[in-house]
Amino acid sequence: MSDQGTGNSRPTAQDIACRLLAFSRIRRKVFEPYGMTVNDIAWQLLLALFVAQERRRRVDIYRLCDDVPVPKTVSVRWLRALRSSGMIDYDDRSAGLSALVRLTPAAEDSLRDLIEA
């Protein structure tokens, strides 16, 4: 099926699947230096943080966990793993779930490079 007036055809399901696979390979390479595999939960958390930071919004752990359709306990475990890997930063010792969380500058640059790839 062609887009009207542009002469461009819509990508097929196969084309989209190929692009998704290529994106997955690139994503794996980008996050390899952090020593962890980024699954869908971690990916959603990272993207939500990226969008918040791009919009100059501060986000706390509680609100960030609301952005991912899994129990908060699962999201918090992933946030701890992301913090251990050096991808995000927060201090939950005194603030708990209200602690502000942010991408580290290196992780933010990695995400930007990946998204723009």
Side-chain angles (χ1 to χ4, degrees):
M1 175 186 284
S2 293
D3 294 335
Q4 290 181 336
T6 65
N8 295 329
S9 60
R10 285 182 71 178
T12 66
Q14 179 183 350
D15 293 335
I16 294 168
C18 286
R19 289 182 197 160
L20 289 171
L21 285 171
F23 183 81
S24 294
R25 285 190 292 274
I26 294 168
R27 183 173 83 173
R28 194 170 34 253
K29 286 180 185 176
V30 166
F31 293 114
E32 215 171 70
Y34 296 98
M36 69 179 296
T37 301
V38 175
N39 74 357
D40 285 338
I41 296 168
W43 180 241
Q44 288 179 19
L45 290 165
L46 291 168
L47 282 179
L49 273 174
F50 181 81
V51 169
Q53 286 182 207
E54 288 294 300
R55 292 178 175 168
R56 308 263 191 256
R57 293 186 181 150
R58 295 165 36 140
V59 63
D60 60 32
I61 293 172
Y62 189 85
R63 177 163 285 161
L64 182 61
C65 290
D66 283 344
D67 287 339
V68 181
V70 296
K72 281 190 180 27
T73 54
V74 174
S75 293
V76 168
R77 276 195 301 262
W78 274 104
L79 288 172
R80 287 183 185 136
L82 291 168
R83 180 176 61 179
S84 293
S85 72
M87 297 176 83
I88 66 170
D89 188 34
Y90 63 89
D91 182 3
D92 62 344
R93 289 175 288 185
S94 60
L97 293 179
S98 62
L100 295 175
V101 59
R102 66 173 187 82
L103 293 168
T104 61
E108 186 174 5
D109 289 344
S110 294
L111 274 167
R112 181 172 286 101
D113 290 347
L114 174 61
I115 292 165
E116 292 175 349

